[in-house]
Amino acid sequence: MSRRTTQVLESIHLMSTSQIIRAAVRIILLHPTHFHSISIFLFSPLPISLFISHFLIHHFPQIPSSALKTIDHSLGHHGVLPLPKLLSKTLVHIIICFPSTITFSLLGRAATVQAVSDGYHGINLDRRRLLMRSGLTWVKLLHTSFWEFVIVLGLFGALMASLVTVPKILFAFGICSRASGFLSVLGFAGIAFCVVFAHVMAVGNLAKVVSVVESECYGFDSLVKAKRLMEGRRHTALVMALLSNVGLRLVECLFEFRMCRGMSMWEGPLLVSMYSLVLVFDTVINAVFYYACKPPDFSIF
């Protein structure tokens, strides 16, 4: 099995996006039992938490009402704009999914990246060894995720500060109304925010792989190294991040659609399995991308 894996992973340097995706598919197909076990036992708590939050918001709309009032009051708009409602729902999702995100999700990423790394090095996969090494690297992943969260929080803070202050300044000078100013700032600042946010997510995904594979590099150092590794490959990283996010969002939309129409007992576990498999596939793609970004002098081949 290790010889087959090595043959699949040859000529990894400077692979295109489609080649990286095909390599990730082949890796999963070479070890379907291991990756399926990871998706069930480590990744599944995250989609379960996410779907529970969707269920609570759908059937108990008063849950995010307090968050909605707080955000609406801070922005100075009284239910006129839809953004506070979206932010309040997002806040509920974050609160409910936070425990599983920093525990099972990180353990799943660590186990998946370690499985791909063992395949690259021709090491036979062992579930017990994967679980033990995932536990050892969990703290490093948590450290890296913390710095990623700090950067994202700074981006959100800058966006919120712009949405709060700039419309008031425009209104004070009589340029436009507060609602028009808010939409204008949201249009200009929102585009810049989305671009920077996408880059941070792409760097963060690669930094998590660096934290697992390289024992001495984690936290903010892994983010810096991931950014350096991505030089000249940002387009590939952004495309992969976009495809993964689209896949995850499609599963969420399917869950919301079936929840509104009435969901059967077997559909819930199926959607959880689909979401978990997308998370596994996303992690495998980023692990393959890491080896594709490594300079030839540091290649394992």
Side-chain angles (χ1 to χ4, degrees):
M1 179 67 71
S2 61
R3 181 177 300 175
R4 290 176 58 200
T5 306
T6 304
Q7 292 175 352
V8 168
L9 299 171
E10 288 178 347
S11 303
I12 193 71
H13 187 57
L14 296 181
M15 296 173 63
S16 63
T17 304
S18 59
Q19 290 173 329
I20 291 175
I21 294 176
R22 286 198 297 267
V25 172
R26 293 191 187 103
I27 292 172
I28 294 176
L29 293 179
L30 285 176
H31 308 283
T33 304
H34 291 84
F35 288 110
H36 188 61
S37 300
I38 292 173
S39 68
I40 292 176
F41 297 107
L42 295 179
F43 274 119
S44 60
L46 177 59
I48 290 175
S49 302
L50 181 62
F51 294 157
I52 288 176
S53 66
H54 280 289
F55 177 83
L56 293 176
I57 291 175
H58 178 74
H59 291 279
F60 304 96
Q62 67 274 14
I63 291 179
S65 60
S66 58
L68 172 62
K69 292 179 180 178
T70 303
I71 298 174
D72 194 30
H73 178 73
S74 63
L75 293 178
H77 308 291
H78 303 286
V80 178
L81 299 173
L83 183 63
K85 296 181 180 179
L86 176 63
L87 291 177
S88 64
K89 292 181 180 180
T90 303
L91 182 61
V92 173
H93 293 323
I94 292 175
I95 293 174
I96 296 179
C97 296
F98 180 75
S100 58
T101 299
I102 65 173
T103 53
F104 290 101
S105 180
L106 293 182
L107 287 172
R109 286 187 178 275
T112 304
V113 173
Q114 194 62 60
V116 176
S117 178
D118 288 348
Y120 271 81
H121 291 84
I123 303 174
N124 292 326
L125 300 187
D126 180 78
R127 293 189 184 91
R128 181 175 299 178
R129 186 177 68 249
L130 285 178
L131 184 59
M132 291 179 60
R133 297 177 71 177
S134 301
L136 294 176
T137 56
W138 174 77
V139 177
K140 298 196 301 180
L141 278 177
L142 188 63
H143 195 183
T144 303
S145 299
F146 169 77
W147 280 105
E148 183 182 359
F149 171 76
V150 170
I151 296 174
V152 172
L153 191 64
L155 290 177
F156 272 106
L159 178 63
M160 295 296 294
S162 300
L163 294 176
V164 171
T165 59
V166 176
K168 293 181 179 179
I169 295 175
L170 295 177
F171 178 75
F173 283 96
I175 299 176
C176 59
S177 63
R178 288 189 178 182
S180 300
F182 181 86
L183 294 176
S184 300
V185 174
L186 181 62
F188 286 102
I191 294 176
F193 170 82
C194 292
V195 172
V196 178
F197 181 78
H199 279 82
V200 172
M201 290 295 100
V203 173
N205 290 335
L206 188 58
K208 291 183 178 69
V209 180
V210 174
S211 300
V212 175
V213 177
E214 304 184 13
S215 58
E216 300 299 327
C217 187
Y218 59 94
F220 187 76
D221 292 338
S222 65
L223 291 170
V224 174
K225 182 164 187 177
K227 183 179 181 298
R228 188 169 63 249
L229 286 173
M230 282 175 51
E231 293 295 334
R233 307 296 301 272
R234 287 198 180 102
H235 175 73
T236 302
L238 290 175
V239 170
M240 294 189 304
L242 176 63
L243 292 176
S244 300
N245 288 328
V246 168
L248 295 174
R249 186 53 188 163
L250 284 176
V251 179
E252 286 188 53
C253 292
L254 182 59
F255 177 82
E256 293 178 355
F257 175 77
R258 294 305 304 158
M259 185 172 56
C260 295
R261 295 296 184 90
M263 183 181 298
S264 303
M265 291 295 296
W266 60 271
E267 289 180 306
L270 177 62
L271 291 173
V272 169
S273 178
M274 291 172 58
Y275 198 98
S276 301
L277 288 175
V278 174
L279 290 174
V280 169
F281 187 64
D282 172 59
T283 308
V284 173
I285 287 178
N286 284 286
V288 175
F289 181 60
Y290 164 79
Y291 286 103
C293 291
K294 292 195 66 166
D297 293 340
F298 297 94
S299 178
I300 64 175
F301 299 111

